[in-house]
Amino acid sequence: MAADGERIATTGAVEKGEDKVIVTCLVDDLQVSGLVNKTVKNGSVSVTFGDSSLDMTAIVKGKNKETVFRKVVKKLPGPIMKDQCTWTVRKGKVIITLVKDEKASWAVQLSQRGLEQQSDEEDD
């Protein structure tokens, strides 16, 4: 758990070819509306991309509370083309498409350390 009312989103990452990685962030109770351009019905989502980082924040508003889900990755397994990365929402999840800067497999890094390649001891 992070701060009160803030939770770290559970994530999974799957490579799609040599140039993309699909990241799925689970966000409990996230509801969407619309068939084509899905929009968040009960809160908001924002995703910020860096050269080799990402920051996802989802706010889910319930009857009596607001829950914030975050996933911050300070150092991905490799650089990304942040202007080409995208994200969308589905019921209960945020799906992020990372476009790699270089065509190379991240399989070893993902299997050993997951998306985050910076250790807890390293500085920001």
Side-chain angles (χ1 to χ4, degrees), residues 1-11 25-31 40 42-47 54-62 65-72 92-94 96:
M1 285 263 182
D4 189 37
E6 184 172 299
R7 297 172 53 183
I8 298 171
T10 302
T11 59
C25 301
L26 301 181
V27 179
D28 295 339
D29 301 321
L30 183 70
Q31 297 175 10
V40 178
N42 62 334
S44 64
V45 173
S46 68
V47 181
L54 73 89
D55 185 343
M56 186 282 305
T57 302
I59 300 171
V60 179
K61 297 177 182 177
K65 67 176 183 171
E66 186 176 274
T67 306
V68 178
F69 292 83
R70 289 216 48 213
K71 181 62 180 181
V72 177
K93 58 182 95 169
V94 177
I96 301 169

Side-chain angles (χ1 to χ4, degrees), residues 58-108:
I59 300 171
V60 179
K61 297 177 182 177
K63 289 182 180 180
N64 298 320
K65 67 176 183 171
E66 186 176 274
T67 306
V68 178
F69 292 83
R70 289 216 48 213
K71 181 62 180 181
V72 177
V73 180
K74 295 178 184 175
K75 185 179 177 188
L76 291 161
I80 57 174
M81 292 189 279
K82 62 183 179 181
D83 295 335
Q84 294 181 29
C85 296
T86 60
W87 60 273
T88 187
V89 292
R90 300 281 189 266
K91 183 178 179 182
K93 58 182 95 169
V94 177
I95 300 168
I96 301 169
T97 302
L98 300 175
V99 179
K100 299 177 191 174
D101 191 34
E102 301 168 356
K103 289 187 178 185
S105 176
W106 290 2
V108 172

Side-chain angles (χ1 to χ4, degrees), residues 103-118:
K103 289 187 178 185
S105 176
W106 290 2
V108 172
Q109 295 94 323
L110 290 172
S111 68
Q112 291 177 349
R113 296 190 62 174
L115 280 174
E116 179 64 74
Q117 298 296 301
Q118 180 172 305

Side-chain angles (χ1 to χ4, degrees), residues 3-42:
D4 189 37
E6 184 172 299
R7 297 172 53 183
I8 298 171
T10 302
T11 59
V14 177
E15 281 193 294
K16 292 290 181 187
E18 293 181 322
D19 60 343
K20 291 184 183 172
V21 174
I22 307 300
V23 179
T24 303
C25 301
L26 301 181
V27 179
D28 295 339
D29 301 321
L30 183 70
Q31 297 175 10
V32 295
S33 60
L35 295 173
V36 178
N37 294 323
K38 294 186 181 336
T39 56
V40 178
K41 198 159 95 172
N42 62 334

